[in-house]
Amino acid sequence: MARLLRVTAVLVACALAGACSSGGDDDGDAGPPEGAGSSAADTSATTAAEEFTDGDFYAVPDPLPEGSPGDLIRYQPVGEQIAGADAYRIMYLSESVAGDPIAVTGTALVPPAEAPSGGRRVLTIAHGTTGIADDCAPSKDPVPTELSLMGPYVEAGYLIAESDYEGLGTPGRHPYLVGESEGRGVLDAAKAARALPGADAGDQLAIFGYSQGGHGALWAGQLAADWAPEFDLVGTVAGAPATEIPVIVSAAGSMPIAGFLYMIFAGFAEAYDDADLSLVLTPAGLEQIDRVDEGCVGQVLRAFAGRPASELIRPDAATVEPWATLAEENNPGNVATDAPVLIVHSEADNVVPAALSEILAGRMCDEGQVVERRVYEGTMDHGGAVPDAVSDGFAWVEARFAGEEPASTCQTP
């Protein structure tokens, strides 16, 4: 395992360096406390939210309204359909890792067809990396997001929600790759979408995410039983999940990948009071940290592309505490869930090497998780594999709703 980690660290460095040298794309990397969740009986409490018609949609009410995570605060029609569905911006209550009530924004799609008698199936999406500044919130321009690929789900009558995540669009930095933050936001978006006009949601839920979203989707799946017990989770699809954070940090000195690491470090420091940036960044690195707030992912990658990470990041960043423990704890797959998981990944992924999901799947198997990992052969890069991931994910989710037994690629002892 130690050798595999070292080899993978080199692969990560090379892959992310390629992404940095290409300049990135500001559209993002995904392409075109126990029982805290509100119960099913709480749904009526969210229906008091009204359509937002005047002012800045993203201005958070002060004070926040009383309520539970997932209560809808406000909604606003996007003004055009997405994937054939009526699209809404949403703002809803959630909770930070520190336990404080917060507002989170996102987008939801309501299909035009009448809901079935048992209510619509619900899909909640964890989006790929867009950046960590407020202007990078996908709901601000939701058409060129993962939502545009959700036509099959819309045609099948799913209610779809996509969280912006904590700190994107709303105050504070986004806690990038902090699993508990992502997972709560993703699940609470699904709860909030139930209060939209015509939503008519049932209690069955599926989760999908790609890249950063693969990480967020897996975390949402891990938290669902406690955070969203009103839902019956049938399965989670994670495409090219950004995982094995200690390996990524270990690759810092090999190649210039400071842009990604800066977002990780800034995000962790936002979420955890004891995550002191001076322990992982050099004095020169500390001077540059605010650049993560000056643009979205492509701009952040370009800002750091010309400087090797070794000038900005301390050589012991992967082992110094509490950072080493936080990195390990924010890997998904450290606990097993009752719902099955599908991981899809391209062997030619040029941003998130397929070796990372191989390590992840092995850990999940060791934990007793029912997980199937599919690897796409050929030359599809990170963004090029998104359509196949969505298509395969839809077929897999439909099979779970149909009650078919999920496959597992875990080796039988």
Side-chain angles (χ1 to χ4, degrees):
M1 176 59 74
R3 181 178 182 276
L4 179 58
L5 289 174
R6 290 195 297 271
V7 172
T8 303
V10 175
L11 291 173
V12 172
C14 294
L16 294 183
C20 289
S21 63
S22 67
D25 186 331
D26 290 349
D27 286 338
D29 66 12
E34 181 175 354
S38 57
S39 68
D42 292 334
T43 304
S44 60
T46 69
T47 58
E50 297 181 354
E51 181 178 336
F52 187 81
T53 58
D54 186 38
D56 179 6
F57 181 84
Y58 295 90
V60 175
D62 186 15
L64 282 172
E66 295 289 333
S68 301
D71 283 359
L72 186 64
I73 298 173
R74 61 174 64 138
Y75 66 92
Q76 178 187 62
V78 168
E80 59 184 307
Q81 287 195 330
I82 299 177
D86 295 326
Y88 298 89
R89 293 184 182 90
I90 56 176
M91 179 184 286
Y92 55 91
L93 291 174
S94 191
E95 187 176 295
S96 71
V97 172
D100 298 320
I102 57 174
V104 178
T105 52
T107 313
L109 304 183
V110 180
E114 185 177 349
S117 58
R120 300 186 193 279
R121 297 166 177 174
V122 182
L123 174 73
T124 189
I125 300 172
H127 71 78
T129 301
T130 59
I132 66 175
D134 284 350
D135 286 344
C136 311
S139 67
K140 293 193 173 184
D141 187 13
V143 175
T145 67
E146 293 92 337
L147 292 173
S148 65
L149 300 175
M150 295 299 142
Y153 288 96
V154 172
E155 292 177 9
Y158 286 69
L159 173 68
I160 302 171
E162 181 181 70
S163 175
D164 286 337
Y165 303 139
E166 174 185 353
L168 279 174
T170 49
R173 277 180 177 154
H174 164 49
Y176 184 65
L177 292 187
V178 174
E180 200 166 10
S181 173
E182 292 171 337
R184 291 178 181 182
V186 169
L187 292 170
D188 289 339
K191 301 177 194 176
R194 301 173 305 169
L196 289 170
D200 297 325
D203 62 0
Q204 290 187 302
L205 176 71
I207 304 171
F208 175 88
Y210 193 90
S211 196
Q212 178 192 2
H215 180 271
L218 290 168
W219 266 97
Q222 290 180 193
L223 298 176
D226 287 336
W227 199 259
E230 60 267 57
F231 284 119
D232 173 20
L233 177 62
V234 302
T236 300
V237 180
T243 181
E244 310 320 301
I245 298 172
V247 177
I248 297 174
V249 179
S250 295
S254 303
M255 299 291 277
I257 58 174
F260 285 104
L261 289 170
Y262 256 51
M263 290 190 290
I264 294 174
F265 291 147
F268 276 42
E270 180 71 18
Y272 305 109
D273 291 339
D274 58 346
D276 184 350
L277 285 169
S278 68
L279 296 175
V280 291
L281 298 179
T282 66
L286 289 170
E287 292 179 358
Q288 300 294 317
I289 189 64
D290 288 343
R291 300 189 74 173
V292 299
D293 301 319
E294 297 173 359
C296 296
V297 59
Q299 292 167 277
V300 172
L301 297 184
R302 287 191 290 271
F304 294 102
R307 300 187 65 173
S310 58
E311 292 182 8
L312 307 174
I313 299 171
R314 293 186 178 277
D316 62 345
T319 57
V320 67
E321 294 293 353
W323 289 89
T325 296
L326 291 173
E328 183 63 41
E329 289 177 346
N330 279 282
N331 277 335
N334 286 314
V335 296
T337 69
D338 291 337
V341 173
L342 172 67
I343 297 173
V344 292
H345 212 150
S346 172
E347 66 176 4
D349 195 312
N350 59 334
V351 175
V352 180
L356 295 182
S357 69
E358 182 180 3
I359 299 172
L360 167 65
R363 180 170 63 250
M364 296 175 78
C365 289
D366 290 343
E367 292 291 337
Q369 176 69 54
V370 176
V371 55
E372 178 187 0
R373 178 174 179 263
R374 302 178 188 175
V375 178
Y376 300 138
E377 298 179 353
T379 60
M380 288 188 298
D381 61 13
H382 188 67
V386 172
D388 281 4
V390 172
S391 177
D392 288 350
F394 174 68
W396 186 85
V397 165
E398 284 281 275
R400 303 290 74 75
F401 279 120
E404 297 179 18
E405 192 72 18
S408 175
T409 49
C410 296
Q411 294 181 354
T412 302

